[in-house]
Amino acid sequence: MKAILKETAGPGFVMKEVPKPEKLGPREVLVKIRRASICGTDVHIYKWDEWSQSRINPPLIVGHEMAGEVVAIGDAVTQVKVGDLVSAETHIPCEHCVQCKTGRMHVCKNLEILGVDRNGVFTEYAVIPETVLWRFSKEIPLDYASVMEPFGNAIHTALVTDLTGKKVLITGAGPIGLMAIQVAKASGASLVITSEVDPNRIQMAKENGADIVINPAEQDLVKSIYTITDDGVDILLEMSGNKKALEDGLKCVTMGGEASLLGIFGGSIDINLDSLVIMRGITIYGITGRKMFDTWKVADELLKSKKVDLSKVVTHVLPFEDWEKGFELMLNKQCGKVVLNLD
């Protein structure tokens, strides 16, 4: 079967023929991958940055966002059957630790990640534990089912608190930030403001329903927010992983407001917690992944009911063999989500 691999330590991937999996563990499932989408994490691994060098052990089949069809199941599998259409939660829990036993599998202390710690889904067939498979509704197109995992990031970040009637600032309009705009609107936010510096993403933020888009490279974000809102925003959704965006975003939150942080900063950052958070009574939520499987249920319902339109986020659907073009688009930020079609 064809697969995209990080074959050796260093930049880049290769596509090559590898053996199709033949053996399944008792609770493992063989999935025929029909769509796979490219994530920012895949780009980090492609570039072979510092994080990748410390985490990835080549050779490894990469990729973790997918939609596919169950073609074989292990002897003890009970949650899916052959023919089911599935997407996958990429956080693979141990199911035994305190977190797993108390409804917090997404922060399992023994967590493994699909396409990072074990072979992933940029391939024609993938072996995936039944524990992390989600049978998505038949009304959801495969292209959009393949991005339910990052869509879940947007949902978890936005809906960790009640957005009804709230003024929301989203810092960063990458694909997950764009999805969060639609989630906030669908959830009853009274005003959704987005900050973004990239011209293409500014346009996409508008297309995805942002009420106001501010370019912080051209306008003072904090002054602009207080001019618009008088008292600041109720909720900050930080999607950029940029220190300046976080610091200014916190300044924009009204006293006693809330901040939900998904962006990854890549190391230590220096901000004044006394003045920005503690003395202003700000509640901060750290977000990683998706709640299993609360977030997936919400994602399914939003897509099935068409309350969220991912055609405004999925900008490219390419043949699997054109994966290099997909990564080029991602590296140059010339796209939203890029989906690879394996049919």
Side-chain angles (χ1 to χ4, degrees), residues 11-307:
F13 294 146
V14 296
M15 176 180 273
K16 63 184 298 185
E17 295 283 334
V18 300
K20 179 182 174 181
E22 294 184 354
K23 294 183 179 180
L24 294 175
R27 297 183 62 204
E28 290 182 331
V29 176
L30 183 64
V31 178
K32 183 184 187 306
I33 306 300
R34 298 185 60 185
R35 301 289 189 279
S37 60
I38 302 174
C39 173
T41 299
D42 302 319
V43 175
H44 285 293
I45 299 171
Y46 180 91
K47 293 193 293 187
W48 199 237
D49 62 10
E50 185 176 349
W51 171 83
S52 302
Q53 294 173 39
S54 69
R55 185 68 179 269
I56 305 300
N57 294 310
L60 177 78
I61 298 173
V62 291
H64 57 268
E65 300 176 4
M66 55 71 71
E69 181 179 345
V70 174
V71 294
I73 60 175
D75 294 340
V77 170
T78 60
Q79 299 177 37
V80 297
K81 64 183 184 301
V82 172
D84 283 346
L85 293 176
V86 293
S87 186
E89 167 60 54
T90 55
H91 286 183
I92 301 173
C94 72
E95 302 184 64
H96 304 297
C97 69
V98 171
Q99 285 73 24
C100 286
K101 292 295 187 182
T102 55
R104 296 173 290 167
M105 285 197 298
H106 66 295
V107 287
C108 165
K109 69 179 182 181
N110 302 308
L111 191 73
E112 288 189 330
I113 298 177
L114 194 64
V116 173
D117 301 307
R118 62 168 73 185
N119 281 331
V121 302
F122 284 172
T123 183
E124 294 180 271
Y125 294 89
V127 175
I128 302 175
E130 72 163 335
T131 308
V132 300
L133 291 176
W134 174 265
R135 290 180 296 164
F136 57 84
S137 295
K138 64 181 184 301
E139 295 89 347
I140 302 173
L142 289 172
D143 292 348
Y144 306 149
S146 74
V147 299
M148 286 181 75
E149 192 257 24
F151 182 42
N153 281 336
I155 292 169
H156 189 188
T157 307
L159 301 188
V160 73
T161 188
D162 183 9
L163 298 186
T164 307
K166 301 291 180 61
K167 298 185 290 291
V168 178
L169 170 63
I170 300 172
T171 48
I176 297 176
L178 297 173
M179 294 174 183
I181 294 170
Q182 291 201 48
V183 172
K185 299 286 284 189
S187 302
S190 61
L191 180 67
V192 178
I193 305 169
T194 304
S195 70
E196 176 58 58
V197 298
D198 182 83
N200 291 331
R201 290 180 170 180
I202 287 172
Q203 181 58 36
M204 291 184 71
K206 295 174 181 177
E207 293 170 355
N208 277 271
D211 297 302
I212 298 169
V213 183
I214 297 171
N215 183 344
E218 298 177 354
Q219 299 173 253
D220 186 300
L221 178 63
V222 180
K223 288 182 179 178
S224 297
I225 290 294
Y226 281 95
T227 298
I228 295 164
T229 65
D230 292 329
D231 196 40
V233 298
D234 302 296
I235 312 292
L236 166 67
L237 308 181
E238 207 306 292
M239 305 289 197
S240 70
N242 179 278
K243 178 196 169 184
K244 177 66 171 170
L246 171 63
E247 192 167 15
D248 283 352
L250 288 170
K251 290 177 182 178
C252 292
V253 177
T254 190
M255 302 280 279
E258 298 168 283
S260 187
L261 313 184
L262 179 73
I264 300 298
F265 296 88
S268 300
I269 60 171
D270 180 19
I271 63 170
N272 190 330
L273 287 174
D274 293 348
S275 63
L276 290 175
V277 177
I278 297 167
M279 300 305 294
R280 300 177 63 240
I282 305 298
T283 299
I284 293 183
Y285 304 95
I287 306 297
T288 181
R290 300 134 301 278
K291 289 186 177 179
M292 300 165 61
F293 278 89
D294 307 45
T295 303
W296 284 86
K297 176 62 174 172
V298 175
D300 201 289
E301 292 293 340
L302 287 174
L303 293 178
K304 181 172 65 175
S305 64
K306 295 183 168 57
K307 298 297 183 184

Side-chain angles (χ1 to χ4, degrees), residues 2-5 13-17 122 320-323:
K2 294 178 182 177
I4 300 171
L5 295 94
F13 294 146
V14 296
M15 176 180 273
K16 63 184 298 185
E17 295 283 334
F122 284 172
F320 189 42
E321 292 75 12
D322 289 346
W323 64 273

